[in-house]
Amino acid sequence: MKTTLKTDITVKDICEGFVYNELEGKGLFGLSGKLTIQPEYQRNYIYSDGKRDVAVIDSLLKGYPLGLIYFVKVNEDEFEILDGQQRITSFGRYVTNKFAIKDENGLEQYFSGIAVDKRNTILETKLTIYECEGEESEIKSWFKTINIVGIPLNDQEVNNAIFSGPFVTCAKEEFSNSQNSNIQKWSAYISGSANRQAFLKCALDWVSKGNVVDYMSSHRYDDNISELKTYFNSVIDWVSTVFIDVESEMCGLEWGRLYETYHKKAYDPKKVSKKVQDLLGDPYVKNHRGIFEYILGGSIDTKLLEIRVFDEATKKSIYKTQTEKAEKKKESNCPLCAIGHDSNANKIWKQSEMDADHVTAWSKGGATNIKNCQMLCKTHNRAKGNK
Ligand SMILES: [Zn+2]
């Protein structure tokens, strides 16, 4: 890869013909049309948080260096940004009055409102830019290894860069566009933001059953995303049909896996809804996020719910009463051993050799309190638990 250092390009040069697309939330062009600010393999603009974008302008005003910027030369007089897109979009937006920063008196000031000398300080700042030339694959693998001012690319952003092409372009249009009206619905089930590729990552993970890289690689040159979109929508439709109420505990569950496992079973959404509410309100259910899979699986696997266990004081007290009674009757302090016929029938177990058990199982309405607690030897407790 060949690189040329440029130190004479100014903020003003870059902002010549700067276009920012408010709808898509990204900077598009600059440098009199010669520079593509957000090529397809780049991440979305994420600096518009009133901190990082403001810090860029602050740096310019104070004469701090903005750091190295890398352009890729794609043709004679045609460049794409390889690194520096967030910084360039920040000052481009400021210079075109898209946001304001606080001055020394705490007043919000747009670019057009600040003193001329300050405006000139910003515009005349010279940037340190490397122009790189090389094979596409060479440049992309290099892109993968560089960090963008302190915020490393996440896995999906890296994959988008490596597999950039028509498929990623279509996929980002659908899943990485913060203006997509479906995002609110998706956010009930998927955590993260469109800008950081959370929905795209999820869609790919679901359709590929976890083999995202293989999937992206084999579909790289597809000109459509119909399979990806159809599968994703099937999962979302299925979840929102089976579970009619949206609960915060649903966000970020493995819906792709749950869909694969359970979508062929029939559910009555009203009954499901009632069950969800009951379990959410049950003080013995510790793991609320396990409720959904528990119900999908037919309300059998109570391990998913992490039912609350008896506390030490309860166990100690039950152990004491049970053992005193058993010693009087000269039988085992494990009630199940006591009715057996082997040598354990009159064995007195130590507390450490016993476990607490729900007399009436939690799943049959038994409470986790002292009235519903008995101590069993570990063997009997395990045997009962497996029933
Ligand atoms: Zn026993």
Side-chain angles (χ1 to χ4, degrees), residues 70-261:
Y70 294 90
F71 289 176
V72 181
K73 193 168 181 178
V74 284
N75 264 312
E76 203 49 49
D77 255 4
E78 240 183 83
F79 303 93
E80 288 182 352
I81 295 183
L82 184 64
D83 190 18
Q85 170 223 10
Q86 303 290 329
R87 287 165 283 167
I88 286 179
T89 305
S90 295
F91 67 62
R93 287 183 78 239
Y94 186 65
V95 167
T96 52
N97 294 306
K98 298 288 189 296
F99 68 99
I101 60 163
K102 285 206 173 88
D103 66 10
E104 55 275 18
N105 303 313
L107 296 171
E108 296 269 327
Q109 298 285 5
Y110 283 91
F111 180 73
S112 57
I114 60 174
V116 178
D117 62 316
K118 282 187 178 173
R119 271 188 266 165
N120 287 337
T121 305
I122 292 174
L123 292 174
E124 284 160 17
T125 300
K126 286 183 174 157
L127 302 165
T128 312
I129 298 170
Y130 276 106
E131 287 176 7
C132 314
E133 281 177 78
E135 291 299 313
E136 190 187 303
S137 58
E138 198 178 15
I139 287 166
K140 279 171 192 162
S141 78
W142 188 55
F143 175 83
K144 186 186 158 183
T145 63
I146 57 175
N147 282 359
I148 297 175
V149 236
I151 307 167
L153 298 174
N154 64 34
D155 287 353
Q156 190 56 47
E157 287 166 339
V158 168
N159 286 337
N160 289 353
I162 299 172
F163 300 111
S164 76
F167 179 79
V168 164
T169 305
C170 293
K172 282 179 79 175
E173 226 169 273
E174 173 70 14
F175 294 105
S176 316
N177 172 4
S178 49
Q179 302 297 315
N180 186 325
S181 58
N182 289 318
I183 284 190
Q184 204 189 348
K185 181 175 187 183
W186 299 345
S187 299
Y189 313 110
I190 299 162
S191 58
S193 76
N195 271 347
R196 297 304 306 267
Q197 313 299 329
F199 304 110
L200 177 56
K201 182 183 177 179
C202 210
L204 286 162
D205 182 55
W206 292 353
V207 74
S208 70
K209 321 282 184 285
N211 300 311
V212 173
V213 167
D214 290 346
Y215 192 87
M216 289 185 81
S217 160
S218 62
H219 291 269
R220 180 169 182 185
Y221 298 107
D222 292 4
D223 59 3
N224 71 81
I225 54 161
S226 38
E227 183 188 54
L228 178 71
K229 208 173 149 177
T230 307
Y231 191 89
F232 180 81
N233 288 334
S234 310
V235 177
I236 296 289
D237 288 347
W238 173 76
V239 187
S240 55
T241 309
V242 176
F243 298 101
I244 47 185
D245 312 306
V246 169
E247 305 294 345
S248 58
E249 288 86 354
M250 299 170 105
C251 187
L253 294 181
E254 295 171 76
W255 292 114
R257 178 179 63 79
L258 295 175
Y259 171 80
E260 277 302 310
T261 316

Side-chain angles (χ1 to χ4, degrees), residues 334 336-337 349 377 380:
C334 165
L336 295 182
C337 286
W349 300 93
C377 74
H380 278 124

Side-chain angles (χ1 to χ4, degrees), residues 177-363:
N177 172 4
S178 49
Q179 302 297 315
N180 186 325
S181 58
N182 289 318
I183 284 190
Q184 204 189 348
K185 181 175 187 183
W186 299 345
S187 299
Y189 313 110
I190 299 162
S191 58
S193 76
N195 271 347
R196 297 304 306 267
Q197 313 299 329
F199 304 110
L200 177 56
K201 182 183 177 179
C202 210
L204 286 162
D205 182 55
W206 292 353
V207 74
S208 70
K209 321 282 184 285
N211 300 311
V212 173
V213 167
D214 290 346
Y215 192 87
M216 289 185 81
S217 160
S218 62
H219 291 269
R220 180 169 182 185
Y221 298 107
D222 292 4
D223 59 3
N224 71 81
I225 54 161
S226 38
E227 183 188 54
L228 178 71
K229 208 173 149 177
T230 307
Y231 191 89
F232 180 81
N233 288 334
S234 310
V235 177
I236 296 289
D237 288 347
W238 173 76
V239 187
S240 55
T241 309
V242 176
F243 298 101
I244 47 185
D245 312 306
V246 169
E247 305 294 345
S248 58
E249 288 86 354
M250 299 170 105
C251 187
L253 294 181
E254 295 171 76
W255 292 114
R257 178 179 63 79
L258 295 175
Y259 171 80
E260 277 302 310
T261 316
Y262 299 110
H263 80 276
K264 289 190 178 130
K265 286 178 74 174
Y267 298 95
D268 175 346
K270 279 199 187 129
K271 280 190 189 152
V272 167
S273 165
K274 169 86 173 57
K275 241 180 208 168
V276 171
Q277 297 312 321
D278 286 352
L279 290 170
L280 282 173
D282 188 324
Y284 300 113
V285 173
K286 254 201 319 200
N287 180 25
H288 283 184
R289 290 171 65 76
I291 288 175
F292 307 93
E293 185 168 6
Y294 173 74
I295 294 173
L296 289 171
S299 304
I300 293 163
D301 188 359
T302 51
K303 280 200 294 298
L304 290 165
L305 302 176
E306 294 172 23
I307 299 304
R308 270 179 219 290
V309 292
F310 296 102
D311 60 45
E312 283 312 310
T314 304
K315 287 195 249 180
K316 207 172 169 186
S317 145
I318 294 290
Y319 176 81
K320 194 166 167 268
T321 1
Q322 243 175 252
T323 307
E324 280 168 3
K325 260 192 210 161
E327 277 169 345
K328 268 184 209 151
K329 289 187 173 173
K330 297 202 182 332
E331 61 181 33
S332 173
N333 58 349
C334 165
L336 295 182
C337 286
I339 54 172
H341 299 289
D342 60 19
S343 56
N344 286 339
N346 48 18
K347 179 167 174 123
I348 297 295
W349 300 93
K350 292 183 205 144
Q351 195 188 325
S352 60
E353 294 166 328
M354 302 183 90
D355 280 322
D357 172 60
H358 287 82
V359 180
T360 305
W362 168 85
S363 57

